[in-house]
Amino acid sequence: MGSPVDVELLHGRLGPEPVLEVALAPVLLDAVARGDRGPVLRCYRPPPTVAFGRRDTFLPGFASAAAAARGHGFVPVIRAQGGRAAAYDEGCVVLDEIMPAKDWLTGIQDRFAREAQRQAQALRGLGIDARVGEVPGEYCPGAFTVNAGGRKKLIGSAQRAVPGGWLLSTVVVIQSAARVRSVLESVYDALELEWDPATAGAVAEEAPGVRVDDVEHALLSAYTQRYRLLPASIAPDALTASLKRVARHHVPQ
């Protein structure tokens, strides 16, 4: 194994606006892919958000689903990555891993598998029977879901790749199972997508007493096995570029 790769750690969110949070990730990806900055790992606790995939927006019930999200106190946004609708709030952690890559079109499945195993190992260190694999009936289904005992979804990931780099974005539900289940029931009903609400879990349900801080620390510690995490801040130009992108992610009322 070679020396750890230096990776900028961006810790914390920009503010209360979910649309700005989702706009920042593709801005950082484009900068990394161009070679304007080095690899990035962003870790933050998001405001209440329902992040829709682009294909959700083509469904007849999308406007109703967005309204349902707002009715539960969640802001609907359109994310750059793939997948179906996912919900998260301050009781969750979002990790955006952004890396340069010449082989950006290959290795997608390997990246999903590698990061899911890393995350599952981190949760096992907290006493959770964490496994990798799709839970039948889960929301935003994926083969590399991190689940609890094959029963409940705890972590989901999505990717975006552009020439020169890739973004793997992960959502970890820690203390928000009931709230996530409730909003997703309304959202998926409006989208007319079938799922089983019983499959939506949270880390704290599996390990009572585990806090968001505990999970965040465990996950970041797992990344230090491969990366040298260097604390950094979001540059003003990245914030400016994100503000220019928000229209792409905004869902009108």
Side-chain angles (χ1 to χ4, degrees):
M1 182 180 296
S3 300
V5 176
D6 287 347
V7 173
E8 291 184 3
L9 175 63
L10 303 179
H11 208 173
R13 72 191 196 196
L14 292 173
E17 295 298 329
V19 69
L20 189 56
E21 300 295 344
V22 298
L24 178 61
V27 165
L28 294 173
L29 173 59
D30 289 345
V32 170
R34 290 193 307 264
D36 292 344
R37 68 183 304 157
V40 173
L41 179 66
R42 185 174 182 225
C43 176
Y44 68 99
R45 302 178 192 184
T49 308
V50 173
F52 290 91
R54 289 283 174 189
R55 58 180 175 157
D56 291 329
T57 67
F58 297 106
L59 295 176
F62 174 67
S64 296
R70 290 190 180 98
H72 285 265
F74 285 69
V75 176
V77 299
I78 302 169
R79 63 174 178 261
Q81 307 87 275
R84 290 293 191 185
Y88 45 85
D89 63 8
E90 297 93 339
C92 305
V93 167
V94 175
L95 291 161
D96 288 336
E97 185 180 0
I98 305 168
M99 297 289 145
K102 294 179 181 178
D103 60 341
W104 58 281
L105 274 179
T106 62
I108 292 175
Q109 299 303 307
D110 289 342
R111 289 194 291 270
F112 270 128
R114 180 184 67 234
E115 299 311 320
Q117 291 295 345
R118 186 200 310 276
Q119 294 153 5
Q121 182 179 12
L123 293 191
R124 287 195 291 269
L126 296 172
I128 296 167
D129 179 15
R131 310 175 188 180
V132 176
E134 183 176 337
V135 178
E138 70 179 19
Y139 67 92
C140 191
F144 300 100
T145 288
V146 177
N147 66 70
R151 301 172 292 102
K152 292 183 178 289
K153 180 170 189 162
L154 304 178
I155 301 178
S157 298
Q159 282 194 65
R160 176 178 173 82
V162 300
W166 53 266
L167 157 69
L168 192 148
S169 186
T170 297
V171 176
V172 188
V173 180
I174 302 166
Q175 294 180 331
S176 305
R179 196 177 185 202
V180 165
R181 276 194 292 266
S182 180
V183 65
L184 287 180
E185 282 189 86
S186 298
V187 166
Y188 273 65
D189 183 59
L191 294 175
E192 297 186 0
L193 296 174
E194 291 188 5
W195 75 297
D196 180 0
T199 63
V203 172
E205 286 187 332
E206 302 300 319
V210 170
R211 303 167 302 163
V212 176
D213 282 344
D214 300 325
V215 177
E216 190 175 286
H217 177 74
L219 290 167
L220 290 178
S221 295
Y223 280 98
T224 61
Q225 298 171 16
R226 185 178 184 192
Y227 301 141
R228 183 183 295 108
L229 299 179
L230 307 175
S233 58
I234 298 169
D237 61 336
L239 177 56
T240 299
S242 299
L243 288 167
K244 292 179 179 178
R245 276 191 65 105
V246 294
R248 305 187 197 184
H249 306 280
H250 176 70
V251 179
Q253 296 199 41

